[in-house]
Amino acid sequence: MEKKQFKAESKRLLDLMINSIYTHKEIFLRELISNGSDAIDKIYYKALTDENIRFDKEDYHIKIEVDKDNRMLKVIDKGIGMTKEELEENLGVIAQSGSFAFKEENELKDGFDIIGQFGVGFYSAFMVADKVTVISKAYGSGESYKWESEGAEGYTIAEYNKDDYGTEIILKIKESTEEEDYDQFLEDYRLRSIVKKYSDFIRYPIKMDIKKSRLKEGSTDEYEDYVEVETVNTMIPIWRRNKNELTDEDYENFYSEKHFGFDKPLKSIHMSIEGALRYNAILYIPSKTPYDFYTKEYEKGLELYSSGVLIMEKSPDLLPDYFSFVKGVVDSEDLSLNISREMLQHTRQLQLIGKKIEDKIKSELTSLLKNDREKYNLFFEQFGRQLKFGVYNDFGMHKEVLQDLLLFYSSKEKSMVTLEEYVGRMAEGQKYIYYAAGESIDRVDKLPQTELVKDKGYEILYLTDDIDEFAIKVLMQYKDNEFKSVSTGDLGIETEEKDGEKETEENKDLFEYMKEILKDKAVDIQPSKRLKNHPVCLTAKGDLSIEMEKILSQMPDAQEVNAEKVLEINIHHNVFNKLKESYKNDKEKIKLYTNLLYNQALLIEGLPIEDPVEFTNNIWELM
């Protein structure tokens, strides 16, 4: 037996890797399985040029064996195996990758890609094992060897009697502590779950001895235990199959198997991209909002695979926030991975994939909007708020991407419409896209501020989501048509107001007196050009609307933000005649009327009254 030392830098790297590089200890099994898959790939590649090798995929597999009593875990492959020199090079020098060298030398083609490239994955075994033993025999060699190590202090290599080529890795699993549960790595169910999670799509069978029970022959109540060898991985991922071979049921089953949701997906998207950057993807648009979607706990991201091996459970960089509802998987052979394979380097490759996925989602949603409006309406009901937030977020950087996907309730159509549909039927002479904001469609429909716009026959968009008006403010315009709130100062509608101007001038003192009564509650009191039947309403000056004030005031830790309110009076209403009469004969009553009208306007807007007791006393006094 020959005792050898790791090089000083290898010792430091081993210590760093065991304690820092890998986030989850369960990763060790993924790495050992990937190494086994690489070894079988090499045999496959040799079979392409060596007619003496018969490569039958059924004969090549990876076996996981557990000896719970002795705390032993084995990972066995019938791959190409290693010579003594290769054991030295690949296992004696940390970060020396035999797989990478093989890939460089042979320029692999034919769809087979060597997974391991950095030569450190094997050493993740020391996170869970006190001792690691590797028994290997290289294909075509008459000798076999045993490599053994208990960690950074070094390793031994000795001759060993192994009958067939391939490699057997034996881990002596650590004893559990209060902080760490190592026993889990000796449990069949746990090992199976790790395989399914990370290595389900390794192209070769991963087999395990599964303990089962059955009724004894001839018995009705006695059971006996037996062992059955099972293949625990799927092997061929759905995204590598031809789209024409797959049915809706296949996609739905995969959605369910991956636990993307309890619903059925509204739409599935299958991408197979060839070229400088190759990748496959299966994407899903859910039909229901996840229960935590609009919370801080929700994590966006797609499952990311490299050559069928799970690298990240949720890769957030592949989805923009406004498409964070999309579920699915992406698999590429061309990703640049960092040393632990747990995280991607943030390279241009990832950006390119993310941009292509974003474009594809946009394209599919646009197609759904045009070709299956009913289904799109269902989608928008669940996720429209996220699209509108995407318009508002990042100072409107993405509004061009999203504006044509938005829907708003129409006063004319009595249904959800796009901005393009609204603009397409704007009336002759109409200057603006009109909107009204409120808590519900019914409430908005009854707002006094909508009277003049409706009277002109103009369509109004009803904004009932808390994000709606903020998104509209960011959009500013659509196809050169500006947005205009029905509660803004100038509606841009020509009216016959010569008599109104005369009334305004004659009653200027009355309005000034009422403004003094309200003090800072309203920045102005003026005759209304928009009211037809209602006596009073509130409008706002500036960018902050009354509805926006309400929303901001409800936010946690909200600071006091107030819209600049204007009290508008309908000078053609009987109430105004009463005001004029009282101003001449009973100034005290004007105070009563002014406060009542202001509070009524607040109630119409859904705003709280500052002093409900005073309000009710004023009504009693009036009665």
Side-chain angles (χ1 to χ4, degrees), residues 290-318:
Y291 73 94
D292 61 344
F293 185 68
Y294 290 113
T295 70
K296 291 180 180 178
E297 285 69 39
Y298 181 80
E299 290 182 74
K300 72 166 182 172
L302 302 175
E303 286 190 4
L304 184 61
Y305 291 79
S306 176
S307 299
V309 178
L310 180 65
I311 304 303
M312 294 181 70
E313 283 190 84
K314 289 186 178 178
S315 176
D317 297 323
L318 291 173

Side-chain angles (χ1 to χ4, degrees), residues 5-63:
Q5 297 293 316
F6 290 118
K7 291 183 179 179
E9 62 270 24
S10 291
K11 284 185 181 181
R12 289 194 294 272
L13 182 56
L14 179 58
D15 182 66
L16 173 66
M17 181 182 54
I18 292 172
N19 295 296
S20 304
I21 291 178
Y22 288 95
T23 310
H24 305 292
K25 286 183 167 54
E26 64 190 29
I27 292 294
F28 83 92
L29 189 57
R30 179 192 73 182
E31 297 298 314
L32 298 185
I33 289 171
S34 295
N35 289 344
S37 176
D38 287 348
I40 299 173
D41 279 345
K42 292 172 187 176
I43 279 285
Y44 166 80
Y45 188 77
K46 281 196 173 292
L48 296 177
T49 56
D50 186 346
E51 60 184 20
N52 295 318
I53 302 176
R54 186 184 68 84
F55 188 89
D56 187 340
K57 193 173 178 181
E58 292 300 317
D59 295 336
Y60 290 88
H61 63 268
I62 298 160
K63 181 79 184 296

Side-chain angles (χ1 to χ4, degrees), residues 518-559:
L518 292 179
K519 296 179 180 176
D520 57 351
K521 293 177 183 177
V523 296
D524 200 5
I525 297 178
Q526 62 188 34
S528 179
K529 295 180 180 179
R530 76 191 75 230
L531 293 175
K532 308 290 286 182
N533 301 308
H534 288 77
V536 67
C537 74
L538 284 175
T539 57
K541 282 186 177 179
D543 291 331
L544 185 67
S545 72
I546 294 171
E547 193 63 26
M548 292 167 79
E549 173 192 316
K550 286 159 59 178
I551 292 164
L552 292 171
S553 67
Q554 293 167 6
M555 291 184 174
D557 304 320
Q559 297 180 355

Side-chain angles (χ1 to χ4, degrees), residues 165-177:
Y165 62 88
T167 300
E168 183 175 329
I169 300 173
I170 308 164
L171 310 185
K172 179 75 162 88
I173 300 297
K174 295 177 181 180
E175 296 287 344
S176 290
T177 65

Side-chain angles (χ1 to χ4, degrees), residues 6 9 14 29 173 183 229 320 329 511 517 558 567 570:
F6 290 118
E9 62 270 24
L14 179 58
L29 189 57
I173 300 297
D183 292 349
V229 179
V329 300
F511 290 124
I517 294 169
L567 184 66
N570 185 352

Side-chain angles (χ1 to χ4, degrees), residues 239 254-255 258 260 269 281-285 301-305 312-315 318-319 325-330:
W239 57 81
F254 185 67
Y255 182 86
K258 298 302 292 180
F260 289 141
I269 305 167
I282 301 284
L283 309 175
Y284 293 99
I285 298 172
L302 302 175
E303 286 190 4
L304 184 61
Y305 291 79
M312 294 181 70
E313 283 190 84
K314 289 186 178 178
S315 176
L318 291 173
L319 286 176
F325 48 82
V326 174
K327 306 288 187 180
V329 300
V330 175

Side-chain angles (χ1 to χ4, degrees), residues 513-621:
Y513 188 65
M514 293 176 70
K515 187 175 176 182
E516 286 177 22
I517 294 169
L518 292 179
K519 296 179 180 176
D520 57 351
K521 293 177 183 177
V523 296
D524 200 5
I525 297 178
Q526 62 188 34
S528 179
K529 295 180 180 179
R530 76 191 75 230
L531 293 175
K532 308 290 286 182
N533 301 308
H534 288 77
V536 67
C537 74
L538 284 175
T539 57
K541 282 186 177 179
D543 291 331
L544 185 67
S545 72
I546 294 171
E547 193 63 26
M548 292 167 79
E549 173 192 316
K550 286 159 59 178
I551 292 164
L552 292 171
S553 67
Q554 293 167 6
M555 291 184 174
D557 304 320
Q559 297 180 355
E560 190 173 345
V561 180
N562 295 313
E564 293 183 288
K565 299 179 184 69
V566 176
L567 184 66
E568 292 195 6
I569 308 293
N570 185 352
I571 59 175
H572 302 296
H573 199 280
N574 287 335
V575 164
F576 185 62
N577 295 329
K578 197 74 174 176
L579 285 171
K580 289 192 293 183
E581 182 185 326
S582 298
Y583 183 65
K584 289 179 183 177
N585 304 319
D586 188 350
K587 290 272 192 353
E588 282 301 313
K589 217 142 203 189
I590 281 291
K591 292 180 182 178
L592 175 66
Y593 290 155
T594 300
N595 282 312
L596 274 173
L597 288 172
Y598 177 74
N599 282 325
Q600 285 176 331
L602 288 176
L603 288 172
I604 290 169
E605 291 295 328
L607 290 168
I609 293 173
E610 292 178 16
D611 191 342
V613 174
E614 181 189 34
F615 177 63
T616 53
N617 286 338
N618 286 342
I619 292 175
W620 293 335
E621 185 178 340

